[in-house]
C-alpha cells in the first residue's frame, strides 16, 4: 500500500514542482508591483556597491518611468559611457524582495536628427554596447603581513577606508545579451538591485550633430524607465591612444582557463585595443610572431577581422622580446633567438612601428643581466630592427645600464624623464600605487586608474605598463592557486607577505573549464572587460581631451588639470590620500574638468604626433614650474625641527631684549 500511495502521489508532486517557479515568478511580480521601481543614471567615474541606496540616490540622476533623456557629449572616435541602476524601493527602509526577477535593458539603434546634414548614404552613427555589472563580495582587504595598513597598492596614509571598500563591489562586465547570471546574481542579494554599464562609441567618421536612440529598462516585466539617449557629437576627433598603455598576458593561462587559445587571444587583443591599451605577449619565439602577425601589423583591428571600434588598423606601439626576462641571460643561443624574432618582425608587411625592447629582467636591480644584454647587442652585427634593452627597477634611471627604465610608480618622479634623456635613456611607469598614482587593486576607488591617464600626460611618463591582465591562477611564488574571479577577489599572494585583491586582473574569462566549469561560465570563447579597464580607457581619452585643449589654450588647460589633480607623482605627500579623492565623497571629479576642456576645443583638425609631443612637453614643463615636489617624511622632520629651533631662538632673543630693556628702565628710575 505504501508503494501505491507513493505512486499515486507522483502526479500531484510533479504538478507542485512544475507550478513552483510560476508561483515564485508571480510572487516576485506582485512584490515589484507593490514597490516603486527607481532608475538612476550614474556617471561612469563612480563605482556604487550593491545596495548602497543612499549613495546611488545622491550621486545619480533619477529617470521618470516614461520620457526621460540621458545626454552624452562626445568627440569623434570617443567611447563615452554611463551607468543605469535599477532597484525596487518599498515602503520600508529595505528594498522590496525580488529574488526571482531579472532586469533587462534594451536600446534601439541610434539615428541622426535633422541637425545632421543630409547625405547620399546614412551617416555613421554612434553604437551602444550594454553590459550587466557583476558584483563580487569583498570581505577582506589587500595588505602586507608585516605592515597591515600598507599593501602593494598604497602607503599606510593613503589606504582607502574599509567602510567605502567592503561589501558587494561591481567589476566584471558581462554582455547584457548573454543568458543567465543576472537573475542568479540578484537572487543571491536577496533584494532587487540591478546595474548596467552602457558604452556609446562614436566612429571617427561620424559627422558632427545629434543622434538619438530609445531605451527601455524593466524588472520582471514591469517597466522601470523608458528614456532617450541623446549623443551630441562634436566636430573634433579624439586622438587614439593619447597616452601609451600596455598590459601583459599569458597565452597559456587563456588556454587553461577558457580553451580555444588562438581565438581567445585574438579577441583579447581586440578588446584591449578598443580600450586604447596594447596587449603585451611573452614573444619568445618566431612561432609567436607568426601567430600574432595580424595584431603586430594592425590588420587584426579592421572590419575584415570583425573589429568595430576606435583605432582601426592601428598597430601596437610597444613590443617586448622575452617579457619578464624569459629569454634568460645573453648568450650566443639567446641572441640568436632574439635575432630570429626581430628578423621575422622586420619581414611583416606593412612594417611594424612599435618600440621594440628586450625585457632583460624583472625587479632585480642588482642583476647584471640588462648590462650584459646591452654589451652583447653592442658587440653583435646590427639587427634588422632597433632593439633596446629594458628592465623594471627602482634605481634612478641614470644609474641603470639600460635604454628603457620601467620605474615602479611609487618611485617615479617628474624629473626622471628629463634626467634619463640627458643620459640617452627613456623612463616608463610600471603599475601604480596610492597616493602618487592610481592602483589596479579592487579595494581602491577605480577612478585612480582614470587619474593615471591625466598623470601620464602631465608628468612626462613615456609609456605605462601594467604587469598582468589575466592573473586568475595566483601562481606567483607564494601563490595559493587558481580562483574564480567572479566569486573570489583575493587573487594574489607572494613570499613577501603581500595579499592583493584582483591585482593583475583587468579581464574576466567568458568561459571557465576545469574546477570552475560549474560556476560563472558563460560559454564565450573570449574575455569580458572590467570596470577598472573602463576607467583606464576613460583616463587615456581624457588625456586626449587635455592635449586638444592645450593645443589651443595651454594655460587654461593646465589650470583645469591642476584643479582636477592638485598633486600627482612626487607632488603627493606619501602619508595622505590621493589628491583626486579630496573631492566630495559622492559625485564625479573628472567629468566637470572634461566638460571644461571640451569647451576649449574648437579645432577639428587631426592632431599629429609632432603636435602631441609639443603639447605634452609644454604641459609637463608648466606643471613642474607650478607645483613643487612634496617633502619626504625626513625632509618634513628636518624642516619642522628647523622651524621649531628658529622659533625657540627668536623667543630667547625676545626674552633677552625684554630683560635688557627692563634693566635700563630700572637704571633710569634709580637715577
Amino acid at each position: 500500500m505504501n508503494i501505491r500511495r507513493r505512486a499515486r502521489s507522483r502526479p500531484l508532486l510533479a504538478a507542485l514542482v512544475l507550478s513552483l517557479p510560476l508561483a515564485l515568478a508571480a510572487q516576485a511580480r506582485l512584490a515589484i508591483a507593490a514597490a516603486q521601481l527607481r532608475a538612476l543614471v550614474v556617471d561612469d567615474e563612480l563605482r556604487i556597491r550593491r545596495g548602497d541606496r543612499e549613495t546611488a540616490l545622491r550621486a545619480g540622476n533619477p529617470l521618470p518611468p516614461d520620457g526621460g533623456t540621458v545626454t552624452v557629449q562626445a568627440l569623434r572616435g570617443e567611447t563615452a559611457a554611463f551607468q543605469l541602476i535599477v532597484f525596487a524601493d518599498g515602503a520600508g527602509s529595505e528594498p522590496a524582495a525580488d529574488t526571482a526577477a531579472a532586469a533587462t535593458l534594451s536600446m534601439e539603434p541610434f539615428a541622426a536628427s535633422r541637425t545632421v546634414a543630409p547625405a547620399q548614404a546614412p551617416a555613421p552613427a554612434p553604437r551602444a554596447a550594454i553590459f550587466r555589472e557583476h558584483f563580487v563580495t569583498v570581505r577582506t582587504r589587500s595588505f602586507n603581513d608585516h605592515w597591515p595598513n600598507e599593501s602593494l597598492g598604497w602607503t599606510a596614509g593613503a589606504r582607502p577606508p574599509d567602510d567605502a571598500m567592503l561589501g558587494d563591489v561591481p567589476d566584471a562586465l558581462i554582455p547584457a545579451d548573454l543568458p543567465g547570471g543576472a537573475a542568479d546574481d540578484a537572487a543571491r542579494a536577496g533584494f532587487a538591485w540591478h546595474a548596467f554599464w552602457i558604452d556609446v562609441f562614436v566612429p571617427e567618421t561620424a559627422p558632427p550633430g545629434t543622434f538619438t536612440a530609445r531605451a527601455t529598462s524593466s524588472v520582471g516585466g514591469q517597466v522601470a524607465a523608458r528614456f532617450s539617449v541623446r549623443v551630441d557629437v562634436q566636430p573634433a576627433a579624439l586622438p587614439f591612444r593619447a597616452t601609451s598603455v600596455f598590459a601583459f598576458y599569458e597565452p597559456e593561462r587563456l588556454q587553461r582557463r577558457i580553451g580555444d587559445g588562438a581565438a581567445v587571444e585574438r579577441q583579447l587583443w581586440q578588446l584591449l585595443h578598443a580600450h586604447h591599451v596594447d596587449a603585451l605577449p611573452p614573444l619568445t619565439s618566431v612561432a609567436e610572431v607568426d601567430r600574432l602577425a595580424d595584431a603586430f601589423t594592425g590588420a587584426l583591428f579592421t572590419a575584415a577581422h570583425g573589429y568595430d571600434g576606435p583605432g582601426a588598423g592601428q598597430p601596437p606601439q610597444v613590443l617586448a622580446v622575452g617579457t619578464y626576462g624569459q629569454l634568460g641571460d645573453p648568450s650566443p643561443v639567446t641572441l640568436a633567438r632574439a635575432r630570429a624574432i626581430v628578423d621575422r618582425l622586420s619581414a611583416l608587411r606593412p612594417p611594424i612601428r612599435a618600440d621594440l625592447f628586450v625585457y632583460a629582467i624583472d625587479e632585480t636591480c642588482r642583476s647584471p643581466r640588462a648590462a650584459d644584454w646591452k654589451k652583447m647587442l653592442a658587440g653583435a652585427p646590427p639587427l634588422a630592427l632597433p632593439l633596446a634593452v629594458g628592465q623594471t627597477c627602482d634605481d634612478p634611471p641614470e644609474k641603470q645600464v639600460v635604454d628603457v627604465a620601467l620605474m615602479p610608480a611609487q618611485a617615479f618622479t617628474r624629473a626622471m624623464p628629463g634626467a634619463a634623456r640627458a643620459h640617452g635613456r627613456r623612463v616608463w611607469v610600471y603599475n601604480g600605487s596610492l597616493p602618487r598614482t592610481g592602483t589596479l587593486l579592487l579595494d581602491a576607488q577605480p577612478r585612480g586608474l582614470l587619474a593615471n591617464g591625466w598623470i601620464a600626460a602631465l608628468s612626462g611618463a613615456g609609456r605605462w605598463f601594467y604587469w598582468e591582465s589575466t592573473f586568475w591562477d595566483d601562481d606567483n611564488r607564494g601563490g595559493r592557486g587558481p580562483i574564480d574571479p567572479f566569486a573570489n577577489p583575493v587573487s594574489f599572494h607572494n613570499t613577501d607577505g603581500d595579499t592583493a585583491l584582483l591585482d593583475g586582473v583587468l579581464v574576466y574569462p567568458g568561459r571557465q573549464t576545469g574546477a570552475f566549469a560549474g560556476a560563472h561560465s558563460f560559454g564565450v570563447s573570449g574575455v569580458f572587460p572590467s570596470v577598472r579597464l573602463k576607467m583606464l580607457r576613460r583616463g587615456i581619452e581624457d588625456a586626449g581631451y587635455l592635449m586638444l585643449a592645450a593645443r589651443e589654450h595651454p594655460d587654461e588647460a593646465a589650470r583645469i588639470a591642476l584643479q582636477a589633480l592638485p598633486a600627482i607623482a612626487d607632488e603627493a605627500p606619501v602619508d595622505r590620500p590621493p589628491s583626486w579623492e579630496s573631492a566630495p565623497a559622492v559625485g564625479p571629479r573628472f567629468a566637470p574638468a572634461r566638460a571644461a576642456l571640451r569647451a576649449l576645443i574648437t579645432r577639428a583638425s587631426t592632431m599629429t604626433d609632432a603636435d602631441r609631443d609639443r603639447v605634452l612637453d609644454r604641459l609637463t614643463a608648466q606643471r613642474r614650474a607650478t607645483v613643487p615636489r612634496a617633502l619626504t617624511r625626513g625632509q618634513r622632520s628636518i624642516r619642522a625641527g628647523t622651524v621649531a629651533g628658529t622659533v625657540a631662538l627668536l623667543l630667547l632673543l625676545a626674552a633677552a631684549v625684554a630683560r635688557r630693556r627692563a634693566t635700563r628702565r630700572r637704571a633710569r628710575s634709580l637715577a
Side-chain angles (χ1 to χ4, degrees):
M1 289 184 64
N2 289 338
I3 294 175
R4 286 196 296 271
R5 284 175 183 165
R6 286 197 292 270
R8 282 199 302 269
S9 68
R10 282 174 186 160
L12 177 60
L13 179 61
L16 288 172
V17 170
L18 290 173
S19 63
L20 185 59
L22 298 176
L24 288 175
Q27 185 179 3
R29 286 193 293 270
L30 289 174
I32 296 171
Q36 177 188 2
L37 281 177
R38 306 196 68 165
L40 302 170
V41 175
V42 178
D43 188 87
D44 64 338
E45 177 184 328
L46 304 176
R47 183 181 69 185
I48 297 181
R49 294 168 293 177
R50 178 164 54 194
D52 199 346
R53 178 178 176 276
E54 294 305 317
T55 299
L57 289 172
R58 289 163 59 196
N61 295 315
L63 280 175
D66 201 355
T69 300
V70 177
T71 301
V72 176
Q73 303 279 344
L75 306 183
R76 293 183 296 115
E78 179 180 354
T79 303
F82 63 94
Q83 300 173 78
L84 181 72
I85 296 177
V86 178
F87 61 94
D89 200 7
S93 60
E94 293 295 322
D98 173 27
T99 59
T104 61
L105 174 61
S106 60
M107 284 183 62
E108 299 173 353
F110 282 96
S113 71
R114 293 179 182 177
T115 59
V116 178
Q120 296 295 326
R127 297 185 288 276
I130 304 172
F131 304 87
R132 299 182 189 276
E133 297 184 8
H134 175 86
F135 295 85
V136 63
T137 302
V138 176
R139 297 183 176 89
T140 187
R141 300 296 306 280
S142 301
F143 65 93
N144 181 276
D145 286 341
H146 307 292
W147 303 279
N149 286 334
E150 295 186 6
S151 79
L152 291 172
W154 52 74
T155 63
R159 182 179 186 269
D162 287 351
D163 59 3
M165 295 297 118
L166 298 176
D168 292 348
V169 174
D171 194 54
L173 298 175
I174 301 168
D177 56 357
L178 288 179
D184 291 340
D185 195 41
R188 282 191 296 274
F191 57 85
W193 187 275
H194 306 275
F196 295 91
W197 184 284
I198 301 93
D199 276 346
V200 179
F201 169 60
V202 180
E204 291 92 333
T205 54
T210 301
F211 297 81
T212 58
R214 293 287 298 169
T216 303
S217 178
S218 61
V219 180
Q222 180 183 343
V223 172
R226 290 189 178 94
F227 58 98
S228 295
V229 180
R230 168 179 167 159
V231 182
D232 293 331
V233 179
Q234 307 299 307
L238 188 74
F240 178 67
R241 226 165 20 197
T243 59
S244 174
V245 175
F246 55 105
F248 180 64
Y249 74 96
E250 294 175 83
E252 295 81 6
R253 202 181 301 281
L254 298 174
Q255 178 62 35
R256 283 196 305 268
R257 183 61 65 99
I258 305 173
D260 294 341
V264 174
E265 186 177 26
R266 293 165 71 85
Q267 186 266 345
L268 169 66
W269 273 84
Q270 291 183 333
L271 178 69
L272 292 179
H273 190 84
H275 291 78
H276 300 245
V277 175
D278 286 335
L280 192 76
L283 201 54
T284 57
S285 69
V286 169
E288 196 167 1
V289 177
D290 294 338
R291 188 179 76 243
L292 294 170
D294 288 343
F296 297 158
T297 63
L300 183 61
F301 314 115
T302 62
H305 290 270
Y307 179 76
D308 182 18
Q314 293 289 325
Q317 291 184 321
V318 60
L319 288 174
V321 176
T323 306
Y324 286 112
Q326 292 188 42
L327 282 188
D329 292 328
S331 68
V333 173
T334 53
L335 178 60
R337 287 178 63 191
R339 183 179 296 277
I341 292 169
V342 173
D343 286 347
R344 188 60 59 93
L345 287 170
S346 70
L348 296 178
R349 294 292 178 270
I352 68 164
R353 303 198 303 268
D355 259 346
L356 191 62
F357 73 104
V358 57
Y359 195 146
I361 198 163
D362 180 58
E363 297 183 2
T364 312
C365 296
R366 295 182 180 180
S367 170
R369 187 184 290 177
D372 291 345
W373 267 106
K374 280 276 293 180
K375 184 177 180 180
M376 175 162 280
L377 288 172
L383 276 66
L385 295 171
L387 182 63
V389 175
Q391 66 178 358
T392 49
C393 169
D394 57 5
D395 284 347
E398 60 270 20
K399 295 184 179 180
Q400 298 187 41
V401 187
V402 293
D403 302 300
V404 179
L406 289 89
M407 297 296 300
Q410 63 269 25
F412 173 77
T413 70
R414 297 169 301 155
M416 283 181 175
R421 280 196 299 269
H423 290 81
R425 299 178 184 128
R426 289 173 286 171
V427 172
W428 301 346
V429 178
Y430 176 54
N431 289 340
S433 179
L434 302 173
R436 291 187 163 186
T437 70
T439 175
L440 274 177
L441 272 57
L442 180 72
D443 51 329
Q445 288 294 350
R447 68 175 165 192
L449 296 174
L450 190 165
N452 285 354
W454 293 70
I455 295 169
L458 294 167
S459 66
R463 305 191 187 283
W464 206 303
F465 173 42
Y466 293 98
W467 74 279
E468 244 281 25
S469 57
T470 60
F471 195 72
W472 310 313
D473 295 331
D474 197 10
D475 52 3
N476 194 49
R477 287 192 301 271
R480 300 182 184 177
I483 64 160
D484 173 5
F486 294 98
N488 179 12
V490 186
S491 64
F492 178 96
H493 302 84
N494 63 19
T495 54
D496 294 329
D498 293 300
T499 294
L501 271 59
L502 292 184
D503 193 13
V505 177
L506 281 173
V507 296
Y508 288 77
R511 177 176 60 232
Q512 300 200 83
T513 60
F516 305 112
H520 307 101
S521 185
F522 299 88
V524 174
S525 292
V527 294
F528 299 149
S530 63
V531 169
R532 287 167 298 132
L533 180 60
K534 301 294 182 184
M535 294 290 176
L536 277 178
R537 179 190 65 195
R538 182 67 267 172
I540 298 167
E541 290 184 327
D542 281 2
Y545 267 89
L546 184 59
M547 293 175 191
L548 289 171
R551 178 174 64 170
E552 300 183 56
H553 303 280
D555 294 335
E556 184 64 13
R559 185 195 65 77
I560 293 169
L562 183 60
Q563 187 174 18
L565 290 98
I568 62 172
D570 55 331
E571 302 166 1
V574 296
D575 53 357
R576 299 176 190 172
S579 65
W580 56 86
E581 297 297 347
S582 62
V586 176
R589 183 183 187 94
F590 293 100
R594 189 182 313 123
L597 292 173
R598 188 186 301 115
L600 299 177
I601 300 170
T602 61
R603 291 171 57 182
S605 59
T606 303
M607 206 171 193
T608 66
D609 290 343
D611 287 339
R612 293 191 204 185
D613 291 343
R614 282 194 296 270
V615 168
L616 286 175
D617 286 346
R618 178 162 182 169
L619 280 171
T620 55
Q622 284 178 291
R623 184 78 184 201
R624 289 188 62 191
T626 304
V627 187
R629 292 183 59 181
L631 297 177
T632 65
R633 289 192 185 98
Q635 289 170 330
R636 285 203 302 273
S637 298
I638 293 171
R639 176 171 287 188
T642 302
V643 170
T646 302
V647 170
L649 179 61
L650 290 174
L651 290 174
L652 289 173
L653 290 173
V657 170
R659 286 196 299 271
R660 186 172 182 180
R661 288 177 177 174
T663 301
R664 287 178 176 175
R665 284 197 298 271
R666 285 196 299 271
R668 285 197 298 268
S669 64
L670 291 174

